[in-house]
Coordinates of all heavy atoms in Angstrom, one line a residue:
T276 N -38.8 13.3 -39.2 CA -37.9 12.7 -38.2 C -36.7 13.5 -38.0 O -36.2 13.8 -36.9 CB -37.5 11.3 -38.7 OG1 -38.7 10.4 -38.8 CG2 -36.5 10.6 -37.7
S277 N -36.1 14.0 -39.1 CA -34.9 14.9 -39.0 C -35.3 16.2 -38.2 O -34.5 16.6 -37.4 CB -34.4 15.2 -40.4 OG -33.2 16.0 -40.3
L278 N -36.4 16.7 -38.5 CA -36.8 18.0 -37.8 C -37.0 17.7 -36.3 O -36.7 18.6 -35.5 CB -38.1 18.5 -38.5 CG -38.0 19.1 -39.9 CD1 -39.3 19.5 -40.4 CD2 -37.0 20.2 -39.9
Y279 N -37.6 16.6 -36.0 CA -37.8 16.3 -34.6 C -36.6 15.9 -33.9 O -36.4 16.2 -32.7 CB -38.9 15.2 -34.4 CG -39.5 15.2 -33.1 CD1 -40.2 16.4 -32.6 CD2 -39.4 14.2 -32.2 CE1 -40.8 16.4 -31.3 CE2 -40.0 14.2 -30.9 CZ -40.6 15.3 -30.5 OH -41.2 15.4 -29.2
I280 N -35.6 15.4 -34.6 CA -34.3 15.1 -33.9 C -33.7 16.5 -33.6 O -33.1 16.7 -32.5 CB -33.4 14.3 -34.9 CG1 -33.9 12.9 -35.0 CG2 -31.9 14.3 -34.4 CD1 -33.1 12.1 -36.1
M281 N -33.8 17.5 -34.5 CA -33.3 18.8 -34.2 C -33.9 19.4 -33.0 O -33.2 19.9 -32.1 CB -33.6 19.7 -35.4 CG -33.2 21.2 -35.1 SD -33.5 22.3 -36.5 CE -35.3 22.5 -36.4
T282 N -35.2 19.2 -32.8 CA -35.9 19.9 -31.7 C -35.9 19.1 -30.4 O -35.2 19.4 -29.4 CB -37.3 20.3 -32.1 OG1 -38.0 19.1 -32.5 CG2 -37.3 21.3 -33.2
F283 N -36.6 17.9 -30.5 CA -36.6 17.1 -29.2 C -35.3 16.4 -29.0 O -34.9 16.2 -27.8 CB -37.7 16.1 -29.3 CG -37.9 15.3 -28.0 CD1 -38.4 15.9 -26.9 CD2 -37.4 14.0 -27.9 CE1 -38.5 15.2 -25.6 CE2 -37.5 13.3 -26.7 CZ -38.0 13.9 -25.6
G284 N -34.6 16.0 -30.0 CA -33.3 15.3 -29.8 C -32.4 16.3 -29.0 O -31.7 15.8 -28.1
A285 N -32.4 17.5 -29.4 CA -31.5 18.5 -28.7 C -32.0 18.8 -27.3 O -31.3 18.9 -26.3 CB -31.5 19.8 -29.5
F286 N -33.4 18.9 -27.2 CA -34.0 19.1 -25.8 C -33.6 18.0 -24.9 O -33.1 18.2 -23.8 CB -35.5 19.3 -26.0 CG -36.2 19.3 -24.6 CD1 -36.3 20.5 -23.9 CD2 -36.7 18.2 -24.0 CE1 -36.9 20.6 -22.7 CE2 -37.3 18.2 -22.8 CZ -37.4 19.4 -22.1
S287 N -33.9 16.8 -25.3 CA -33.6 15.6 -24.4 C -32.2 15.4 -24.1 O -31.7 15.1 -23.0 CB -34.3 14.4 -24.9 OG -33.7 14.0 -26.2
G288 N -31.3 15.5 -25.2 CA -29.9 15.3 -25.1 C -29.3 16.3 -24.2 O -28.4 16.0 -23.3
L289 N -29.6 17.6 -24.3 CA -29.0 18.6 -23.5 C -29.6 18.6 -22.1 O -28.9 18.9 -21.1 CB -29.2 20.0 -24.1 CG -28.5 20.2 -25.4 CD1 -28.9 21.5 -26.1 CD2 -26.9 20.2 -25.1
S290 N -30.8 18.2 -21.9 CA -31.4 18.0 -20.6 C -30.7 17.0 -19.8 O -30.4 17.2 -18.6 CB -32.9 17.7 -20.7 OG -33.7 18.7 -21.2
A291 N -30.3 15.9 -20.4 CA -29.6 14.8 -19.7 C -28.2 15.2 -19.4 O -27.6 14.7 -18.4 CB -29.7 13.5 -20.6
T292 N -27.5 16.0 -20.2 CA -26.1 16.3 -20.1 C -25.8 17.6 -19.5 O -24.6 17.9 -19.2 CB -25.4 16.1 -21.4 OG1 -26.0 17.0 -22.4 CG2 -25.4 14.7 -21.9
F293 N -26.8 18.5 -19.4 CA -26.6 19.9 -18.9 C -25.9 19.9 -17.5 O -24.9 20.7 -17.3 CB -27.9 20.7 -18.9 CG -27.7 22.1 -18.8 CD1 -26.5 22.8 -19.0 CD2 -28.8 22.9 -18.4 CE1 -26.4 24.2 -19.0 CE2 -28.7 24.3 -18.3 CZ -27.5 24.9 -18.6
P294 N -26.3 19.1 -16.5 CA -25.6 19.1 -15.2 C -24.1 18.7 -15.4 O -23.3 19.4 -14.8 CB -26.4 18.0 -14.4 CG -27.7 18.0 -15.1 CD -27.5 18.2 -16.5
L295 N -23.8 17.7 -16.2 CA -22.4 17.3 -16.3 C -21.7 18.3 -17.1 O -20.5 18.5 -16.9 CB -22.4 15.9 -17.0 CG -22.6 14.7 -16.1 CD1 -22.7 13.4 -16.9 CD2 -21.6 14.6 -15.0
L296 N -22.3 19.0 -18.1 CA -21.6 20.1 -18.8 C -21.2 21.2 -17.9 O -20.1 21.7 -18.0 CB -22.5 20.6 -19.9 CG -22.7 19.8 -21.2 CD1 -23.6 20.5 -22.2 CD2 -21.3 19.7 -21.9
I297 N -22.1 21.6 -17.0 CA -21.7 22.7 -16.1 C -20.6 22.2 -15.2 O -19.6 23.0 -15.0 CB -23.0 23.0 -15.2 CG1 -24.0 23.7 -16.1 CG2 -22.6 23.9 -14.1 CD1 -25.3 23.9 -15.3
K298 N -20.6 21.0 -14.7 CA -19.6 20.4 -13.9 C -18.2 20.4 -14.6 O -17.2 20.8 -14.1 CB -19.9 19.0 -13.4 CG -18.9 18.4 -12.4 CD -19.5 17.1 -11.9 CE -18.5 16.5 -10.9 NZ -17.2 16.1 -11.5
Q299 N -18.2 19.9 -15.9 CA -17.0 19.7 -16.6 C -16.4 21.0 -17.1 O -15.2 21.2 -17.1 CB -17.2 18.8 -17.8 CG -17.5 17.3 -17.5 CD -16.4 16.7 -16.7 OE1 -16.5 16.3 -15.6 NE2 -15.2 16.6 -17.4
I300 N -17.3 22.0 -17.5 CA -16.8 23.2 -18.1 C -16.4 24.3 -17.0 O -15.4 25.0 -17.1 CB -17.8 23.8 -19.0 CG1 -18.0 22.9 -20.2 CG2 -17.4 25.2 -19.5 CD1 -19.1 23.3 -21.2
Y301 N -17.2 24.3 -15.9 CA -17.1 25.4 -14.9 C -16.7 24.8 -13.5 O -16.5 25.6 -12.6 CB -18.3 26.3 -14.8 CG -18.4 27.2 -16.0 CD1 -19.2 26.8 -17.2 CD2 -17.8 28.4 -16.1 CE1 -19.3 27.6 -18.3 CE2 -17.9 29.3 -17.1 CZ -18.6 28.9 -18.3 OH -18.7 29.7 -19.3
G302 N -16.7 23.5 -13.4 CA -16.6 22.9 -12.0 C -15.2 23.0 -11.5 O -15.0 22.8 -10.3
G303 N -14.2 23.3 -12.3 CA -12.8 23.4 -11.8 C -12.4 24.7 -11.2 O -11.3 24.8 -10.7
F304 N -13.3 25.7 -11.2 CA -12.9 27.0 -10.7 C -13.3 27.1 -9.2 O -14.3 26.5 -8.8 CB -13.6 28.1 -11.5 CG -13.2 28.1 -12.9 CD1 -14.1 27.8 -13.9 CD2 -11.9 28.5 -13.3 CE1 -13.7 27.8 -15.3 CE2 -11.5 28.6 -14.6 CZ -12.4 28.2 -15.6
E305 N -12.6 27.9 -8.5 CA -13.0 28.1 -7.1 C -14.4 28.8 -7.0 O -14.7 29.7 -7.7 CB -11.9 29.1 -6.4 CG -12.2 29.2 -4.9 CD -11.1 30.1 -4.3 OE1 -10.1 30.4 -5.0 OE2 -11.3 30.4 -3.1
G306 N -15.2 28.2 -6.1 CA -16.6 28.7 -6.0 C -17.5 28.3 -7.1 O -18.4 29.0 -7.4
A307 N -17.1 27.1 -7.7 CA -17.9 26.6 -8.8 C -19.4 26.4 -8.5 O -19.7 26.1 -7.3 CB -17.3 25.3 -9.3
P308 N -20.3 26.7 -9.4 CA -21.7 26.5 -9.2 C -22.1 25.1 -9.0 O -21.5 24.2 -9.6 CB -22.3 27.1 -10.4 CG -21.3 26.9 -11.5 CD -20.0 27.1 -10.8
D309 N -23.2 24.8 -8.2 CA -23.7 23.5 -8.1 C -24.5 23.2 -9.4 O -25.5 24.0 -9.7 CB -24.7 23.5 -6.9 CG -25.3 22.1 -6.7 OD1 -25.2 21.2 -7.6 OD2 -26.0 21.9 -5.7
P310 N -24.2 22.2 -10.2 CA -24.8 22.0 -11.4 C -26.4 21.8 -11.3 O -27.1 22.3 -12.2 CB -24.2 20.6 -11.9 CG -22.9 20.6 -11.3 CD -23.1 21.3 -9.9
L311 N -26.8 21.2 -10.2 CA -28.3 20.9 -10.1 C -29.0 22.2 -9.7 O -30.3 22.2 -9.8 CB -28.6 19.8 -9.1 CG -28.1 18.4 -9.6 CD1 -28.5 17.4 -8.6 CD2 -28.8 18.1 -11.0
A312 N -28.3 23.2 -9.3 CA -29.0 24.5 -8.9 C -29.3 25.3 -10.2 O -30.1 26.2 -10.1 CB -28.1 25.3 -8.0
W313 N -28.7 24.9 -11.3 CA -28.9 25.6 -12.6 C -29.5 24.8 -13.7 O -30.2 25.3 -14.5 CB -27.6 26.2 -13.0 CG -27.0 27.2 -12.1 CD1 -26.1 27.0 -11.1 CD2 -27.3 28.6 -12.1 NE1 -25.8 28.2 -10.5 CE2 -26.6 29.2 -11.1 CE3 -28.2 29.4 -12.9 CZ2 -26.7 30.6 -10.8 CZ3 -28.2 30.8 -12.6 CH2 -27.5 31.3 -11.6
A314 N -29.1 23.5 -13.7 CA -29.5 22.6 -14.8 C -31.0 22.5 -15.0 O -31.5 22.4 -16.2 CB -28.9 21.3 -14.7
F315 N -31.8 22.5 -14.0 CA -33.2 22.3 -14.1 C -33.9 23.4 -14.9 O -35.0 23.2 -15.5 CB -33.9 22.2 -12.8 CG -34.1 23.5 -12.0 CD1 -35.3 24.1 -12.2 CD2 -33.2 24.0 -11.2 CE1 -35.6 25.3 -11.5 CE2 -33.4 25.2 -10.5 CZ -34.6 25.8 -10.7
W316 N -33.2 24.6 -15.0 CA -33.8 25.7 -15.7 C -34.0 25.4 -17.2 O -34.9 25.9 -17.9 CB -33.0 27.0 -15.5 CG -33.2 27.6 -14.2 CD1 -32.4 27.6 -13.1 CD2 -34.4 28.4 -13.7 NE1 -32.9 28.3 -12.0 CE2 -34.1 28.8 -12.4 CE3 -35.6 28.7 -14.3 CZ2 -35.0 29.5 -11.7 CZ3 -36.5 29.5 -13.6 CH2 -36.2 29.8 -12.3
G317 N -33.0 24.7 -17.8 CA -33.0 24.4 -19.2 C -34.3 23.6 -19.6 O -35.1 24.1 -20.4
P318 N -34.6 22.4 -19.1 CA -35.8 21.8 -19.4 C -37.1 22.5 -19.0 O -38.1 22.4 -19.6 CB -35.7 20.4 -18.7 CG -34.6 20.5 -17.7 CD -33.7 21.6 -18.3
L319 N -37.0 23.3 -17.9 CA -38.1 24.1 -17.5 C -38.5 25.1 -18.6 O -39.7 25.2 -19.0 CB -37.8 24.8 -16.2 CG -39.0 25.7 -15.6 CD1 -40.2 24.8 -15.2 CD2 -38.5 26.5 -14.4

Side-chain angles (χ1 to χ4, degrees):
T276 299
S277 183
L278 293 175
Y279 199 62
I280 291 172
M281 175 181 72
T282 57
F283 183 75
F286 172 86
S287 62
L289 291 172
S290 294
T292 54
F293 196 18
L295 282 174
L296 279 178
I297 294 174
K298 182 176 184 293
Q299 291 299 116
I300 296 174
Y301 288 93
F304 300 110
E305 185 177 353
D309 181 352
L311 291 182
W313 294 94
F315 78 93
W316 284 105
L319 179 65

